[in-house]
Amino acid sequence: MLKRFAMLLLVVLIILPSLSGCGYNQIQKNEEAVFSAWADVEATYQRRSDLIPNLVATVKAYAAHEKETLQAVTEARASVGKAQVNTGDLGNPAALQKFQQAQGALSGALSRLLVTVERYPDLKANQNFRDLQNQLEGTENRINVARQRYNKAVQIFNSSIRTFPNNLTNNFLLNLERKEPFKADAGAEKAPAVKF
């Protein structure tokens, strides 16, 4: 009986360390980090989306003659609201591309709006507009940081499901797919031309 207990204890002591190295819990943590990072990306986009109506209303009061630019911003914001990505789509490159295109259209419309402001100095004199412009610039920076953090979380997760011994745990127990990182829009490597 004592010999049997000692043998069982020895087996448990050998198996326990090997189980702790299977990576199951780490893979789960890494996937949750991807979901959390994606939520941060969405939150920063939401912040921008919430700011735009205030920005447009302020500019409208001062630049009624620039309706076309303001209309483009409003339409781009509406299209962003239609393009949604949930955590189940993080492995789908087409869904992420569609989401990025909508965000890119909004960024382009906002750039045109800011160029309009540069052309009309009386708009820059309005303190409310300057404050909103600073908020928007800060939000764009936050979006960039959130994208970078998301990409880092994706890189860590993707590495964790592809390296040994975690890849065995993933293949036999979890069957999780790689997540898609944010990619730059086509032509983003070229600096935009600024004309006044």
Side-chain angles (χ1 to χ4, degrees), residues 24 30 33 44 51 78 87 93 97 112 116 138 140 154 159 165 175 183 189:
Y24 182 88
N30 292 345
T44 54
L51 277 175
T87 55
Q97 180 64 27
R112 287 190 302 277
T116 299
E140 292 300 318
V154 165
S159 295
N175 295 314
K183 296 181 179 103
E189 68 279 358

Side-chain angles (χ1 to χ4, degrees), residues 9-119:
L9 184 61
L10 182 63
V11 169
V12 168
L13 289 175
I14 291 172
I15 291 176
L16 274 178
S18 66
L19 287 178
S20 67
C22 74
Y24 182 88
N25 289 336
Q26 191 60 48
I27 291 172
Q28 298 296 323
K29 288 178 187 176
N30 292 345
E31 186 176 39
E32 288 302 318
V34 169
F35 295 154
S36 174
W38 180 251
D40 290 344
V41 169
E42 288 182 322
T44 54
Y45 279 136
Q46 183 63 48
R47 182 178 191 274
R48 177 173 71 176
S49 183
D50 292 344
L51 277 175
I52 289 171
N54 295 326
L55 177 61
V56 170
T58 303
V59 174
K60 244 183 203 178
Y62 287 89
H65 54 282
E66 288 297 330
K67 276 187 178 180
E68 182 180 309
T69 302
L70 298 173
Q71 186 65 31
V73 171
T74 303
E75 289 171 4
R77 180 180 177 267
S79 72
V80 163
K82 294 176 188 171
Q84 296 295 321
V85 174
N86 61 40
T87 55
D89 294 329
L90 294 179
N92 182 347
L96 282 175
Q97 180 64 27
K98 184 178 175 186
F99 183 79
Q100 281 184 257
Q101 285 174 344
Q103 294 296 338
L106 180 56
S107 292
L110 290 172
S111 295
R112 287 190 302 277
L113 178 63
L114 295 177
V115 167
T116 299
V117 171
E118 293 295 327
R119 288 184 182 157

Side-chain angles (χ1 to χ4, degrees), residues 92-193:
N92 182 347
L96 282 175
Q97 180 64 27
K98 184 178 175 186
F99 183 79
Q100 281 184 257
Q101 285 174 344
Q103 294 296 338
L106 180 56
S107 292
L110 290 172
S111 295
R112 287 190 302 277
L113 178 63
L114 295 177
V115 167
T116 299
V117 171
E118 293 295 327
R119 288 184 182 157
Y120 297 98
D122 60 317
L123 287 178
K124 290 191 329 187
N126 182 284
Q127 184 62 41
N128 289 335
F129 179 78
R130 282 197 311 250
D131 291 345
L132 287 168
Q133 187 177 13
N134 289 336
Q135 290 272 342
L136 191 57
E137 183 179 335
T139 299
E140 292 300 318
N141 290 335
R142 287 178 182 158
I143 288 170
N144 186 47
V145 168
R147 285 176 176 172
Q148 290 172 344
R149 288 180 181 160
Y150 170 76
N151 283 349
K152 182 66 177 171
V154 165
Q155 181 261 325
I156 291 169
F157 171 78
N158 288 345
S159 295
S160 76
I161 64 169
R162 297 181 70 206
T163 55
F164 184 82
N166 294 2
N167 64 338
L168 298 176
T169 302
N170 187 47
N171 289 339
F172 294 117
L173 295 177
L174 300 171
N175 295 314
L176 298 173
E177 297 292 324
R178 290 181 76 245
K179 306 297 184 204
E180 284 294 316
F182 262 105
K183 296 181 179 103
D185 294 332
E189 68 279 358
K190 298 175 188 165

Side-chain angles (χ1 to χ4, degrees), residues 1-10:
M1 178 89 152
L2 186 59
K3 193 173 190 179
R4 190 176 217 182
F5 180 72
M7 186 61 100
L8 183 62
L9 184 61
L10 182 63

